[in-house]
């Protein structure tokens, strides 16, 4: 049985994470390990996704790995990101990570901020327990 994962990532997202890590493999003398996803208050819809380089993984983070691409989910964001699929797209207007998040209830017109509701804590505990069994 596979390990429980808060989020999933597409092949395109994994490719981009590996590219980011490879291009920043020595940040202030520290080796890059992956990226950390989080959320913060901001924007006109109330919340924004954050993506930061990880040089020191935290044991508190949820860790997702696909084909050598490592994504860490900040613990305070886990309930808002549960069930999210992370992708990467290149369009005429933007290039970047995209998030298909079942906890998103709305987004602003420009797409830079979202309104998120926390996932059901009981559902999270049950999913983790079922995976551990």
């Amino acid at each position: 049985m596979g390990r429980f994962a808060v989020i999933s990532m597409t092949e395109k997202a994994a490719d981009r994470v590996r590219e980011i890590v490879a291009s920043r493999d020595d940040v202030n003398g520290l080796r890059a390990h992956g990226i950390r996803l989080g959320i913060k208050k901001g924007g006109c819809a109330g919340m924004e996704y954050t993506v930061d380089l990880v040089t020191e993984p935290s044991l508190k983070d949820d860790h997702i790995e696909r084909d050598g691409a490592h994504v860490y989910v900040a613990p305070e964001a886990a309930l808002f990101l549960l069930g999210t699929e992370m992708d990467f797209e290149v369009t005429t207007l933007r290039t970047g990570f995209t998030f298909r998040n079942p906890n998103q209830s709305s987004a602003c017109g420009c797409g830079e901020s979202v309104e998120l509701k926390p996932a059901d804590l009981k559902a999270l505990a049950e999913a983790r327990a079922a995976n551990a069994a």
Side-chain angles (χ1 to χ4, degrees):
M1 185 174 274
R3 184 175 174 273
F4 173 80
V6 171
I7 69 161
S8 62
M9 72 178 116
T10 65
E11 186 176 333
K12 287 180 186 178
D15 290 343
R16 182 59 182 145
V17 170
R18 285 191 302 274
E19 288 173 9
I20 290 169
V21 170
S23 69
R24 293 169 178 87
D25 202 24
D26 187 11
V27 179
N28 298 326
L30 299 172
R31 183 177 159 279
H33 291 273
I35 62 168
R36 178 174 290 113
L37 292 182
I39 55 168
K40 68 177 183 177
K41 292 183 187 254
C44 50
M47 300 181 112
E48 297 174 340
Y49 294 105
T50 62
V51 178
D52 298 300
L53 192 64
V54 174
T55 56
E56 295 182 37
S58 170
L59 294 176
K60 294 179 182 178
D61 290 342
D62 280 284
H63 175 238
I64 295 88
E65 186 270 335
R66 178 175 177 164
D67 302 326
H70 298 273
V71 174
Y72 301 86
V73 177
E76 64 276 5
L79 283 178
F80 293 98
L81 299 178
L82 181 64
T84 297
E85 181 185 59
M86 184 175 95
D87 197 5
F88 182 78
E89 70 177 12
V90 177
T91 69
T92 304
L93 299 177
R94 82 178 285 283
T95 297
F97 290 109
T98 61
F99 303 94
R100 285 184 278 289
N101 187 339
N103 306 303
Q104 180 177 317
S105 53
S106 66
C108 68
C110 66
E112 292 298 317
S113 65
V114 293
E115 182 177 348
L116 299 173
K117 59 183 177 18
D120 182 356
L121 186 57
K122 182 179 176 189
L124 176 61
E126 288 171 353
R128 284 186 169 164
N131 191 62

